[in-house]
PDB file of all heavy atoms in Angstrom:
ATOM      1  N   PRO A   1     -22.205  13.387 182.395  1.00  0.00           N
ATOM      2  CA  PRO A   1     -22.972  14.610 182.698  1.00  0.00           C
ATOM      3  C   PRO A   1     -23.256  14.800 184.182  1.00  0.00           C
ATOM      4  O   PRO A   1     -23.244  15.922 184.679  1.00  0.00           O
ATOM      5  CB  PRO A   1     -24.273  14.410 181.914  1.00  0.00           C
ATOM      6  CG  PRO A   1     -23.942  13.417 180.854  1.00  0.00           C
ATOM      7  CD  PRO A   1     -22.899  12.532 181.434  1.00  0.00           C
ATOM      8  N   LYS A   2     -23.502  13.725 184.911  1.00  0.00           N
ATOM      9  CA  LYS A   2     -23.846  13.863 186.325  1.00  0.00           C
ATOM     10  C   LYS A   2     -22.654  14.294 187.156  1.00  0.00           C
ATOM     11  O   LYS A   2     -22.747  15.208 187.968  1.00  0.00           O
ATOM     12  CB  LYS A   2     -24.418  12.542 186.854  1.00  0.00           C
ATOM     13  CG  LYS A   2     -25.799  12.226 186.299  1.00  0.00           C
ATOM     14  CD  LYS A   2     -26.449  11.077 187.021  1.00  0.00           C
ATOM     15  CE  LYS A   2     -27.864  10.849 186.541  1.00  0.00           C
ATOM     16  NZ  LYS A   2     -28.544   9.753 187.246  1.00  0.00           N
ATOM     17  N   SER A   3     -21.499  13.632 186.972  1.00  0.00           N
ATOM     18  CA  SER A   3     -20.337  13.983 187.789  1.00  0.00           C
ATOM     19  C   SER A   3     -19.737  15.316 187.360  1.00  0.00           C
ATOM     20  O   SER A   3     -19.028  15.973 188.143  1.00  0.00           O
ATOM     21  CB  SER A   3     -19.272  12.885 187.709  1.00  0.00           C
ATOM     22  OG  SER A   3     -18.790  12.744 186.394  1.00  0.00           O
ATOM     23  N   ALA A   4     -19.988  15.751 186.122  1.00  0.00           N
ATOM     24  CA  ALA A   4     -19.443  17.030 185.642  1.00  0.00           C
ATOM     25  C   ALA A   4     -20.299  18.218 186.048  1.00  0.00           C
ATOM     26  O   ALA A   4     -19.884  19.371 185.867  1.00  0.00           O
ATOM     27  CB  ALA A   4     -19.307  17.000 184.118  1.00  0.00           C
ATOM     28  N   ALA A   5     -21.480  17.963 186.621  1.00  0.00           N
ATOM     29  CA  ALA A   5     -22.417  19.050 186.909  1.00  0.00           C
ATOM     30  C   ALA A   5     -21.835  20.095 187.845  1.00  0.00           C
ATOM     31  O   ALA A   5     -22.027  21.303 187.653  1.00  0.00           O
ATOM     32  CB  ALA A   5     -23.721  18.484 187.473  1.00  0.00           C
ATOM     33  N   SER A   6     -21.120  19.649 188.873  1.00  0.00           N
ATOM     34  CA  SER A   6     -20.570  20.585 189.856  1.00  0.00           C
ATOM     35  C   SER A   6     -19.643  21.568 189.184  1.00  0.00           C
ATOM     36  O   SER A   6     -19.685  22.779 189.442  1.00  0.00           O
ATOM     37  CB  SER A   6     -19.835  19.844 190.964  1.00  0.00           C
ATOM     38  OG  SER A   6     -20.702  19.007 191.668  1.00  0.00           O
ATOM     39  N   THR A   7     -18.759  21.074 188.315  1.00  0.00           N
ATOM     40  CA  THR A   7     -17.830  21.931 187.605  1.00  0.00           C
ATOM     41  C   THR A   7     -18.567  22.902 186.688  1.00  0.00           C
ATOM     42  O   THR A   7     -18.252  24.087 186.632  1.00  0.00           O
ATOM     43  CB  THR A   7     -16.851  21.096 186.774  1.00  0.00           C
ATOM     44  OG1 THR A   7     -16.185  20.163 187.635  1.00  0.00           O
ATOM     45  CG2 THR A   7     -15.821  21.952 186.080  1.00  0.00           C
ATOM     46  N   GLY A   8     -19.577  22.390 185.981  1.00  0.00           N
ATOM     47  CA  GLY A   8     -20.317  23.245 185.065  1.00  0.00           C
ATOM     48  C   GLY A   8     -21.066  24.354 185.782  1.00  0.00           C
ATOM     49  O   GLY A   8     -21.042  25.511 185.357  1.00  0.00           O
ATOM     50  N   PHE A   9     -21.741  24.019 186.880  1.00  0.00           N
ATOM     51  CA  PHE A   9     -22.464  25.033 187.632  1.00  0.00           C
ATOM     52  C   PHE A   9     -21.522  26.069 188.213  1.00  0.00           C
ATOM     53  O   PHE A   9     -21.797  27.268 188.194  1.00  0.00           O
ATOM     54  CB  PHE A   9     -23.263  24.372 188.764  1.00  0.00           C
ATOM     55  CG  PHE A   9     -24.451  23.586 188.303  1.00  0.00           C
ATOM     56  CD1 PHE A   9     -24.941  22.538 189.053  1.00  0.00           C
ATOM     57  CD2 PHE A   9     -25.075  23.873 187.093  1.00  0.00           C
ATOM     58  CE1 PHE A   9     -26.033  21.803 188.630  1.00  0.00           C
ATOM     59  CE2 PHE A   9     -26.164  23.148 186.660  1.00  0.00           C
ATOM     60  CZ  PHE A   9     -26.643  22.114 187.427  1.00  0.00           C
ATOM     61  N   ALA A  10     -20.378  25.611 188.733  1.00  0.00           N
ATOM     62  CA  ALA A  10     -19.408  26.546 189.316  1.00  0.00           C
ATOM     63  C   ALA A  10     -18.832  27.469 188.242  1.00  0.00           C
ATOM     64  O   ALA A  10     -18.638  28.673 188.478  1.00  0.00           O
ATOM     65  CB  ALA A  10     -18.280  25.772 190.003  1.00  0.00           C
ATOM     66  N   PHE A  11     -18.581  26.933 187.077  1.00  0.00           N
ATOM     67  CA  PHE A  11     -18.035  27.768 186.004  1.00  0.00           C
ATOM     68  C   PHE A  11     -19.036  28.813 185.554  1.00  0.00           C
ATOM     69  O   PHE A  11     -18.676  29.938 185.221  1.00  0.00           O
ATOM     70  CB  PHE A  11     -17.625  26.865 184.830  1.00  0.00           C
ATOM     71  CG  PHE A  11     -16.594  27.469 183.941  1.00  0.00           C
ATOM     72  CD1 PHE A  11     -15.435  28.004 184.470  1.00  0.00           C
ATOM     73  CD2 PHE A  11     -16.771  27.525 182.576  1.00  0.00           C
ATOM     74  CE1 PHE A  11     -14.475  28.564 183.650  1.00  0.00           C
ATOM     75  CE2 PHE A  11     -15.817  28.064 181.746  1.00  0.00           C
ATOM     76  CZ  PHE A  11     -14.660  28.585 182.290  1.00  0.00           C
ATOM     77  N   HIS A  12     -20.326  28.447 185.585  1.00  0.00           N
ATOM     78  CA  HIS A  12     -21.359  29.431 185.256  1.00  0.00           C
ATOM     79  C   HIS A  12     -21.342  30.580 186.242  1.00  0.00           C
ATOM     80  O   HIS A  12     -21.408  31.749 185.866  1.00  0.00           O
ATOM     81  CB  HIS A  12     -22.725  28.747 185.260  1.00  0.00           C
ATOM     82  CG  HIS A  12     -23.872  29.715 185.203  1.00  0.00           C
ATOM     83  ND1 HIS A  12     -24.061  30.579 184.156  1.00  0.00           N
ATOM     84  CD2 HIS A  12     -24.877  29.967 186.088  1.00  0.00           C
ATOM     85  CE1 HIS A  12     -25.135  31.324 184.377  1.00  0.00           C
ATOM     86  NE2 HIS A  12     -25.639  30.965 185.554  1.00  0.00           N
ATOM     87  N   VAL A  13     -21.223  30.245 187.548  1.00  0.00           N
ATOM     88  CA  VAL A  13     -21.170  31.309 188.559  1.00  0.00           C
ATOM     89  C   VAL A  13     -19.935  32.165 188.353  1.00  0.00           C
ATOM     90  O   VAL A  13     -19.976  33.392 188.444  1.00  0.00           O
ATOM     91  CB  VAL A  13     -21.160  30.692 189.985  1.00  0.00           C
ATOM     92  CG1 VAL A  13     -21.069  31.780 191.030  1.00  0.00           C
ATOM     93  CG2 VAL A  13     -22.412  29.865 190.196  1.00  0.00           C
ATOM     94  N   ALA A  14     -18.796  31.522 188.091  1.00  0.00           N
ATOM     95  CA  ALA A  14     -17.546  32.255 187.913  1.00  0.00           C
ATOM     96  C   ALA A  14     -17.636  33.246 186.774  1.00  0.00           C
ATOM     97  O   ALA A  14     -17.077  34.347 186.848  1.00  0.00           O
ATOM     98  CB  ALA A  14     -16.399  31.277 187.673  1.00  0.00           C
ATOM     99  N   ASN A  15     -18.333  32.899 185.712  1.00  0.00           N
ATOM    100  CA  ASN A  15     -18.451  33.789 184.567  1.00  0.00           C
ATOM    101  C   ASN A  15     -19.635  34.740 184.677  1.00  0.00           C
ATOM    102  O   ASN A  15     -19.782  35.638 183.869  1.00  0.00           O
ATOM    103  CB  ASN A  15     -18.530  32.976 183.280  1.00  0.00           C
ATOM    104  CG  ASN A  15     -17.185  32.437 182.871  1.00  0.00           C
ATOM    105  OD1 ASN A  15     -16.399  33.131 182.263  1.00  0.00           O
ATOM    106  ND2 ASN A  15     -16.895  31.208 183.259  1.00  0.00           N
ATOM    107  N   SER A  16     -20.497  34.521 185.680  1.00  0.00           N
ATOM    108  CA  SER A  16     -21.579  35.473 185.923  1.00  0.00           C
ATOM    109  C   SER A  16     -21.079  36.651 186.752  1.00  0.00           C
ATOM    110  O   SER A  16     -21.625  37.747 186.680  1.00  0.00           O
ATOM    111  CB  SER A  16     -22.725  34.785 186.682  1.00  0.00           C
ATOM    112  OG  SER A  16     -23.276  33.751 185.903  1.00  0.00           O
ATOM    113  N   ALA A  17     -20.038  36.420 187.552  1.00  0.00           N
ATOM    114  CA  ALA A  17     -19.508  37.470 188.414  1.00  0.00           C
ATOM    115  C   ALA A  17     -18.476  38.286 187.644  1.00  0.00           C
ATOM    116  O   ALA A  17     -17.688  37.740 186.893  1.00  0.00           O
ATOM    117  CB  ALA A  17     -18.859  36.858 189.652  1.00  0.00           C
ATOM    118  N   PRO A  18     -18.452  39.610 187.810  1.00  0.00           N
ATOM    119  CA  PRO A  18     -17.472  40.436 187.113  1.00  0.00           C
ATOM    120  C   PRO A  18     -16.071  40.169 187.623  1.00  0.00           C
ATOM    121  O   PRO A  18     -15.839  39.999 188.817  1.00  0.00           O
ATOM    122  CB  PRO A  18     -17.904  41.870 187.458  1.00  0.00           C
ATOM    123  CG  PRO A  18     -18.661  41.727 188.741  1.00  0.00           C
ATOM    124  CD  PRO A  18     -19.322  40.401 188.692  1.00  0.00           C
ATOM    125  N   ALA A  19     -15.145  40.074 186.725  1.00  0.00           N
ATOM    126  CA  ALA A  19     -13.755  39.854 187.099  1.00  0.00           C
ATOM    127  C   ALA A  19     -12.877  40.410 185.997  1.00  0.00           C
ATOM    128  O   ALA A  19     -13.287  40.552 184.857  1.00  0.00           O
ATOM    129  CB  ALA A  19     -13.460  38.379 187.301  1.00  0.00           C
ATOM    130  N   THR A  20     -11.655  40.742 186.349  1.00  0.00           N
ATOM    131  CA  THR A  20     -10.731  41.287 185.369  1.00  0.00           C
ATOM    132  C   THR A  20     -10.176  40.170 184.509  1.00  0.00           C
ATOM    133  O   THR A  20      -9.531  39.245 185.022  1.00  0.00           O
ATOM    134  CB  THR A  20      -9.561  42.004 186.076  1.00  0.00           C
ATOM    135  OG1 THR A  20     -10.100  42.979 186.937  1.00  0.00           O
ATOM    136  CG2 THR A  20      -8.631  42.627 185.052  1.00  0.00           C
ATOM    137  N   PRO A  21     -10.423  40.169 183.193  1.00  0.00           N
ATOM    138  CA  PRO A  21      -9.934  39.083 182.361  1.00  0.00           C
ATOM    139  C   PRO A  21      -8.412  38.989 182.433  1.00  0.00           C
ATOM    140  O   PRO A  21      -7.716  39.987 182.417  1.00  0.00           O
ATOM    141  CB  PRO A  21     -10.417  39.475 180.953  1.00  0.00           C
ATOM    142  CG  PRO A  21     -11.575  40.400 181.193  1.00  0.00           C
ATOM    143  CD  PRO A  21     -11.222  41.152 182.443  1.00  0.00           C
ATOM    144  N   ALA A  22      -7.944  37.759 182.485  1.00  0.00           N
ATOM    145  CA  ALA A  22      -6.508  37.524 182.507  1.00  0.00           C
ATOM    146  C   ALA A  22      -6.256  36.152 181.932  1.00  0.00           C
ATOM    147  O   ALA A  22      -7.100  35.285 182.005  1.00  0.00           O
ATOM    148  CB  ALA A  22      -5.976  37.620 183.938  1.00  0.00           C
ATOM    149  N   PRO A  23      -5.112  35.953 181.341  1.00  0.00           N
ATOM    150  CA  PRO A  23      -4.823  34.637 180.776  1.00  0.00           C
ATOM    151  C   PRO A  23      -4.876  33.566 181.853  1.00  0.00           C
ATOM    152  O   PRO A  23      -4.305  33.707 182.912  1.00  0.00           O
ATOM    153  CB  PRO A  23      -3.398  34.785 180.219  1.00  0.00           C
ATOM    154  CG  PRO A  23      -3.217  36.257 180.042  1.00  0.00           C
ATOM    155  CD  PRO A  23      -4.021  36.903 181.125  1.00  0.00           C
ATOM    156  N   ALA A  24      -5.619  32.486 181.555  1.00  0.00           N
ATOM    157  CA  ALA A  24      -5.731  31.407 182.529  1.00  0.00           C
ATOM    158  C   ALA A  24      -5.611  30.060 181.856  1.00  0.00           C
ATOM    159  O   ALA A  24      -6.047  29.064 182.399  1.00  0.00           O
ATOM    160  CB  ALA A  24      -7.071  31.509 183.245  1.00  0.00           C
ATOM    161  N   TYR A  25      -5.005  30.008 180.686  1.00  0.00           N
ATOM    162  CA  TYR A  25      -5.167  28.806 179.897  1.00  0.00           C
ATOM    163  C   TYR A  25      -3.976  28.584 178.991  1.00  0.00           C
ATOM    164  O   TYR A  25      -3.325  29.522 178.535  1.00  0.00           O
ATOM    165  CB  TYR A  25      -6.438  28.940 179.065  1.00  0.00           C
ATOM    166  CG  TYR A  25      -6.514  28.080 177.835  1.00  0.00           C
ATOM    167  CD1 TYR A  25      -6.743  26.712 177.964  1.00  0.00           C
ATOM    168  CD2 TYR A  25      -6.381  28.621 176.581  1.00  0.00           C
ATOM    169  CE1 TYR A  25      -6.833  25.925 176.843  1.00  0.00           C
ATOM    170  CE2 TYR A  25      -6.472  27.827 175.459  1.00  0.00           C
ATOM    171  CZ  TYR A  25      -6.700  26.477 175.603  1.00  0.00           C
ATOM    172  OH  TYR A  25      -6.793  25.699 174.493  1.00  0.00           O
ATOM    173  N   ALA A  26      -3.702  27.308 178.762  1.00  0.00           N
ATOM    174  CA  ALA A  26      -2.798  26.848 177.722  1.00  0.00           C
ATOM    175  C   ALA A  26      -1.345  27.125 178.059  1.00  0.00           C
ATOM    176  O   ALA A  26      -0.972  27.433 179.171  1.00  0.00           O
ATOM    177  CB  ALA A  26      -3.169  27.432 176.363  1.00  0.00           C
ATOM    178  N   ALA A  27      -0.503  27.013 177.027  1.00  0.00           N
ATOM    179  CA  ALA A  27       0.930  27.144 177.233  1.00  0.00           C
ATOM    180  C   ALA A  27       1.287  28.581 177.588  1.00  0.00           C
ATOM    181  O   ALA A  27       0.524  29.513 177.363  1.00  0.00           O
ATOM    182  CB  ALA A  27       1.664  26.722 175.958  1.00  0.00           C
ATOM    183  N   GLN A  28       2.487  28.740 178.158  1.00  0.00           N
ATOM    184  CA  GLN A  28       2.888  30.066 178.575  1.00  0.00           C
ATOM    185  C   GLN A  28       2.893  31.007 177.378  1.00  0.00           C
ATOM    186  O   GLN A  28       3.300  30.679 176.278  1.00  0.00           O
ATOM    187  CB  GLN A  28       4.287  29.989 179.180  1.00  0.00           C
ATOM    188  CG  GLN A  28       4.295  29.206 180.499  1.00  0.00           C
ATOM    189  CD  GLN A  28       5.673  29.096 181.076  1.00  0.00           C
ATOM    190  OE1 GLN A  28       6.655  29.433 180.426  1.00  0.00           O
ATOM    191  NE2 GLN A  28       5.752  28.606 182.304  1.00  0.00           N
ATOM    192  N   GLY A  29       2.417  32.211 177.645  1.00  0.00           N
ATOM    193  CA  GLY A  29       2.410  33.223 176.609  1.00  0.00           C
ATOM    194  C   GLY A  29       1.155  33.249 175.770  1.00  0.00           C
ATOM    195  O   GLY A  29       1.027  34.069 174.882  1.00  0.00           O
ATOM    196  N   SER A  30       0.204  32.323 175.995  1.00  0.00           N
ATOM    197  CA  SER A  30      -1.014  32.309 175.212  1.00  0.00           C
ATOM    198  C   SER A  30      -1.975  33.384 175.692  1.00  0.00           C
ATOM    199  O   SER A  30      -1.937  33.833 176.814  1.00  0.00           O
ATOM    200  CB  SER A  30      -1.698  30.940 175.296  1.00  0.00           C
ATOM    201  OG  SER A  30      -2.131  30.711 176.599  1.00  0.00           O
ATOM    202  N   ALA A  31      -2.875  33.753 174.806  1.00  0.00           N
ATOM    203  CA  ALA A  31      -3.841  34.819 175.134  1.00  0.00           C
ATOM    204  C   ALA A  31      -5.007  34.244 175.912  1.00  0.00           C
ATOM    205  O   ALA A  31      -5.209  33.047 175.993  1.00  0.00           O
ATOM    206  CB  ALA A  31      -4.346  35.456 173.842  1.00  0.00           C
ATOM    207  N   ALA A  32      -5.784  35.161 176.509  1.00  0.00           N
ATOM    208  CA  ALA A  32      -6.982  34.732 177.219  1.00  0.00           C
ATOM    209  C   ALA A  32      -7.924  34.043 176.270  1.00  0.00           C
ATOM    210  O   ALA A  32      -8.011  34.377 175.109  1.00  0.00           O
ATOM    211  CB  ALA A  32      -7.659  35.928 177.864  1.00  0.00           C
ATOM    212  N   VAL A  33      -8.658  33.086 176.787  1.00  0.00           N
ATOM    213  CA  VAL A  33      -9.551  32.293 175.962  1.00  0.00           C
ATOM    214  C   VAL A  33     -10.979  32.767 176.118  1.00  0.00           C
ATOM    215  O   VAL A  33     -11.432  33.036 177.224  1.00  0.00           O
ATOM    216  CB  VAL A  33      -9.444  30.797 176.372  1.00  0.00           C
ATOM    217  CG1 VAL A  33     -10.439  29.976 175.613  1.00  0.00           C
ATOM    218  CG2 VAL A  33      -8.030  30.308 176.117  1.00  0.00           C
TER     219      VAL A  33
END
């Protein structure tokens, strides 16, 4: 939990800011998660 905090906090900020959804995950051709 301690070493993962930076990633978790940053991900919260990333999803708090408006952005155009786009696939960013998994094998090629997969849908947005």
Side-chain angles (χ1 to χ4, degrees):
K2 290 191 175 181
S3 63
S6 298
T7 304
F9 289 154
F11 203 51
H12 169 61
V13 178
N15 283 277
S16 298
T20 304
Y25 158 74
Q28 293 178 350
S30 65
V33 175

